[in-house]
Amino acid sequence: MKLLALLGFMFAVTGFSMVMARGDDATPTPGKQVPQEFEYDGKTVHYLLFLPKDYGVSDKERKWPLMLFLHGAGERGEGNFELVKVHGPPKIVESKPEFPFILVSPQCPPGQRWKAATLLALLDKVESQFSIDKNRVCVTGLSMGGYGTWSLVAAAPERFAAAVPICGGGNAGDAEKFKGVPFRVYHGDQDRAVPVTRSREMVEALKKAGGRVEYTEYEGVGHDSWTRTYAADELYDWLLKQSRPAD
């Protein structure tokens, strides 16, 4: 029995070590989306990382724009990346290796909501590892991720060149903090999960603060205002043009 217990303990430790090593030791391949993980505040942060297929190929000195994607409440989990790929950019890059952004798609743990400190630590990690243009970092998210987008930009507006919250909401009192960040906001007028007034309030507050915001409200559309939004090439063309002033 003692031998079996010892073997079980050794397997548990070895298995744990393998899981810990999988993320930080994995080498991303351009054109493919791969699981990654790192430790922050005593917890494991799971995320998907995508590098464009031309990353480091033709111009090793080239710096790339980065997109941070925040999923909705239904996609929470502990490294269940098939959920993260259900909607938005993580789904798109599976069949579009030419996607022109480095894409970072974390997974929020079950029962939790997006935390700005964790997301900023993740950005710090990725920016230290890859050739990223820090003046061209954008964030987008849907539903719970839309809320997360508003709150993250409020926490660190100096980090972002643009933001695209979809069917989310935030604190209208934060508008002064991020009025310098260009926003595109999307919502369906028949949304029963997140009332459309949540986006309207944020857009109005941002306008009053003198911010730059474009608002699209889909007539007759319910909670799924993201499929149509993320399918539009024009959105990515706009994001590619956004840049913070050089330091």
Side-chain angles (χ1 to χ4, degrees):
M1 293 296 291
K2 289 183 179 180
L3 178 59
L4 289 175
L6 178 59
L7 289 173
F9 174 77
M10 291 176 64
F11 176 81
V13 171
T14 304
F16 177 76
S17 299
M18 289 174 65
V19 171
M20 292 292 290
R22 182 191 67 184
D24 284 338
D25 293 345
T27 301
T29 301
K32 293 185 178 181
Q33 190 166 220
V34 296
Q36 300 280 273
E37 60 188 42
F38 83 110
E39 294 296 312
Y40 175 74
D41 196 25
K43 298 178 181 179
T44 301
V45 179
H46 301 275
Y47 63 103
L48 287 172
L49 175 69
F50 169 83
L51 301 178
K53 69 180 183 66
D54 291 333
Y55 179 88
V57 175
S58 57
D59 183 358
K60 296 185 182 299
E61 301 301 317
R62 178 179 177 181
K63 292 187 177 297
W64 291 81
L66 180 145
M67 176 184 292
L68 177 65
F69 170 73
L70 308 180
H71 63 68
E75 291 76 63
R76 289 177 288 193
E78 293 284 356
N80 186 346
F81 294 115
E82 293 307 310
L83 288 177
V84 182
K85 297 176 186 178
V86 169
H87 302 298
K91 177 181 180 180
I92 291 170
V93 299
E94 288 291 288
S95 60
K96 287 193 175 182
E98 70 279 5
F99 193 72
F101 298 85
I102 291 176
L103 176 64
V104 179
S105 305
Q107 185 169 42
C108 186
Q112 297 186 27
R113 293 189 174 273
W114 295 111
K115 297 179 180 179
T118 302
L119 295 172
L120 292 172
L122 174 57
L123 279 180
D124 288 341
K125 175 180 174 58
V126 176
E127 288 178 352
S128 71
Q129 289 181 301
F130 300 99
S131 184
I132 293 168
D133 186 342
K134 295 182 180 180
N135 292 320
R136 299 175 69 200
V137 175
C138 65
V139 57
T140 182
L142 59 92
S143 195
M144 185 184 79
Y147 280 89
T149 297
W150 286 110
S151 62
L152 180 59
V153 181
E158 73 284 355
R159 298 291 295 269
F160 299 99
V164 182
I166 302 172
C167 58
N171 182 357
D174 288 335
E176 280 290 335
K177 298 178 182 179
F178 48 62
K179 64 182 181 181
V181 179
F183 276 78
R184 280 197 171 186
V185 183
Y186 298 84
H187 217 124
D189 68 355
Q190 300 300 309
D191 195 330
R192 298 292 181 262
V194 179
V196 68
T197 52
R198 302 299 287 126
S199 282
R200 291 175 182 171
E201 291 167 355
M202 295 303 293
V203 169
E204 185 61 26
L206 195 48
K207 287 180 177 179
K208 287 183 178 179
R212 294 171 286 169
V213 57
E214 297 180 33
Y215 178 48
T216 299
E217 191 170 294
Y218 298 123
E219 184 177 356
V221 173
H223 193 46
D224 181 8
S225 49
W226 54 81
T227 299
R228 184 172 172 181
T229 300
Y230 288 129
D233 290 340
E234 190 271 337
L235 172 64
Y236 306 107
D237 292 340
W238 177 78
L239 286 170
L240 287 171
K241 294 175 183 177
Q242 308 310 309
S243 179
R244 294 176 54 251
D247 297 331

